[in-house]
Amino acid sequence: MQFQLSPEQQEISTLARRFAEREIVPRAAQADRDGAFAADVHERALQLGLLNVNLPESVGGSGLGCLELVLVTEALCRGCLGIGTALCVNALATEPILIAGNAEQQRHYLGLAAQGAIASFAMTEPAAGSDVAGIRTRAERVPGGYRLSGSKTWISNADRAAFFVVFAKTDPEAGHRGLSAFIVARDSQGLSVGEPLGKMGQRAAPTAEVFLDQVFVPDDHLLGAEGQGFEIAMKVFDHSRPMVAAFGVGLIEHCLDEALAYARERSSMGRRLIEHQAIAHKLAEMRMKLDAARLLTYRAAWLVDQKQPNTIEASVAKAFAADAAMWAATEAVQVFGGMGYSTEYPVEKLFRDAKVLQIYEGTSEIQRNIIARELQRA
């Protein structure tokens, strides 16, 4: 067992961290205020090879693994969780194509992503978030393909997506076994995207509703076979949750950086804040949670690269990192005291950005359900 990154992994981590310091940190506050996708940052990250890390070299990607994706994600999200999420979440939309796409689907759509096209993962609906089996979007069989009707919500980067991976019911009576996955082009007749939704945090990662009104999808845009959508989605989450856990790791590190710097500079009752045990213990706990979240995340990603089952490890990493990030952001505000509540300091943004980590990609409660289910099977 080794805990040291390879020279190549260290190099990509360093590259991503330097990029974040140079390109993301100076833009973070304004991007949050604007609630806009940082297109110029996306373009520079693409040119530097920090996007599409895990796409095969055959389609123009870097051909690296889940651990390398986690390293890049952690670094970018340390700079700004909103911008970092917007840059990295393409991996969520391309993962179903990596898992279940045929050769032509992978060549075309993964090739588009490698060239910089934005893709969106369209599963969540107004009445179906954690309950994937509750999806109501319908895919009706017609000559030559399917007609999709329904709506999706909270879809990341939907306003810029060139294509979507949409989950819909081909057999509404079959529960989760009736779910199928489709690649749907943005210019498909009947597909429309709403205005970006107002959000508390991660405002630089726009999300929107997607509406499907009798959208025709050809047979060759079905991923896998009919009824395999739930299985595909569960495999996607096993692979994507380490990345989402890395969102949390990056934010925890940012919280520690800000709280530590402030505690060293600010004095109270004749002593620096860091010299007060109550504050020092908060900082120590932040470091403990950072190390634990990082190691759990790296383990879950390493298992993906070793092609070993990681369902329980991915849920452990995601739940722990999300909960630890929310705790760290709360305590960072507390270290700053009244100043932590002010928009003049960055910790109020960290607090707002952190909360949704406990909600998307399966809530922290759902992760515990998954862990408990896997324990029962053991």
Side-chain angles (χ1 to χ4, degrees), residues 152-190:
K152 303 291 182 178
T153 192
W154 299 114
I155 306 306
S156 297
N157 292 340
D159 58 332
R160 291 178 172 267
F163 63 91
F164 301 81
V165 174
V166 177
F167 290 81
K169 285 285 185 67
T170 43
D171 183 354
E173 305 302 320
H176 70 271
R177 295 182 180 86
L179 194 65
S180 300
F182 302 87
I183 302 172
V184 183
R186 171 61 178 268
D187 59 2
S188 299
Q189 186 174 356

Side-chain angles (χ1 to χ4, degrees), residues 248-267:
V249 175
L251 187 128
I252 296 167
E253 185 171 5
H254 195 167
C255 289
L256 178 57
D257 291 342
E258 297 291 347
L260 183 58
Y262 190 79
R264 284 170 171 164
E265 295 171 0
R266 184 66 181 256
S267 294

Side-chain angles (χ1 to χ4, degrees), residues 42-366:
H42 176 271
E43 181 60 30
R44 287 192 285 273
L46 179 69
Q47 293 173 357
L48 206 56
L50 292 175
L51 306 184
N52 306 309
V53 169
N54 64 328
L55 293 186
E57 291 180 291
S58 60
V59 299
S62 300
L64 299 175
C66 187
L67 181 53
E68 286 79 12
L69 174 62
V70 158
L71 293 172
V72 170
T73 300
E74 174 188 339
L76 299 184
C77 290
R78 176 174 173 263
C80 171
L81 189 52
I83 294 176
T85 296
L87 296 182
C88 297
V89 77
N90 238 40
L92 177 60
T94 56
E95 193 64 34
I97 304 174
L98 280 168
I99 289 171
N102 59 38
E104 178 56 27
Q105 289 169 340
Q106 292 188 359
R107 183 197 66 79
H108 181 69
Y109 287 101
L110 297 184
L112 287 177
Q115 294 168 20
I118 301 294
S120 288
F121 184 84
M123 175 175 282
T124 301
E125 297 184 0
S130 296
D131 180 16
V132 174
I135 283 175
R136 296 179 181 175
T137 296
R138 179 75 190 275
E140 184 180 2
R141 201 74 171 86
V142 296
Y146 301 82
R147 291 279 181 190
L148 271 61
S149 296
S151 65
K152 303 291 182 178
T153 192
W154 299 114
I155 306 306
S156 297
N157 292 340
D159 58 332
R160 291 178 172 267
F163 63 91
F164 301 81
V165 174
V166 177
F167 290 81
K169 285 285 185 67
T170 43
D171 183 354
E173 305 302 320
H176 70 271
R177 295 182 180 86
L179 194 65
S180 300
F182 302 87
I183 302 172
V184 183
R186 171 61 178 268
D187 59 2
S188 299
Q189 186 174 356
L191 186 150
S192 59
V193 177
E195 292 296 316
L197 296 165
K199 297 190 299 180
M200 177 172 72
Q202 295 193 25
R203 290 171 42 78
T207 57
E209 294 177 291
V210 177
F211 304 98
L212 303 142
D213 183 10
Q214 291 289 303
V215 176
F216 177 72
V217 179
D219 280 326
D220 60 5
H221 282 51
L222 173 69
L223 282 171
E226 275 194 25
Q228 288 186 343
F230 185 81
E231 179 184 350
I232 292 169
M234 295 306 103
K235 289 180 180 178
V236 167
F237 291 147
D238 284 349
H239 289 192
S240 65
R241 280 176 179 146
M243 178 186 71
V244 179
F247 293 173
V249 175
L251 187 128
I252 296 167
E253 185 171 5
H254 195 167
C255 289
L256 178 57
D257 291 342
E258 297 291 347
L260 183 58
Y262 190 79
R264 284 170 171 164
E265 295 171 0
R266 184 66 181 256
S267 294
S268 176
M269 302 177 188
R271 291 189 295 170
R272 293 185 305 160
L273 291 182
I274 199 170
E275 295 170 356
H276 293 273
Q277 188 180 71
I279 300 298
H281 280 188
K282 293 182 189 296
L283 299 172
E285 189 75 16
M286 269 188 220
R287 176 54 192 264
M288 291 161 58
K289 291 184 184 293
L290 172 61
D291 282 4
R294 177 174 282 141
L295 289 170
L296 290 170
T297 300
Y298 288 8
R299 180 185 65 169
W302 179 86
L303 286 169
V304 173
D305 294 337
Q306 302 305 310
K307 303 188 185 309
Q308 295 184 27
N310 79 326
T311 298
I312 192 167
E313 290 83 3
S315 287
V316 167
K318 197 275 180 182
F320 186 90
D323 292 348
M326 190 68 244
W327 177 89
T330 302
E331 292 304 308
V333 171
Q334 197 70 16
V335 169
F336 274 69
M339 294 302 181
Y341 205 68
S342 169
T343 56
E344 293 182 22
Y345 289 87
V347 289
E348 64 85 25
K349 176 183 178 298
L350 296 175
F351 182 89
R352 291 187 289 105
D353 285 348
K355 181 57 196 174
V356 76
L357 291 171
Q358 295 177 304
I359 298 172
Y360 61 25
E361 282 286 302
T363 65
S364 291
E365 291 80 7
I366 288 293

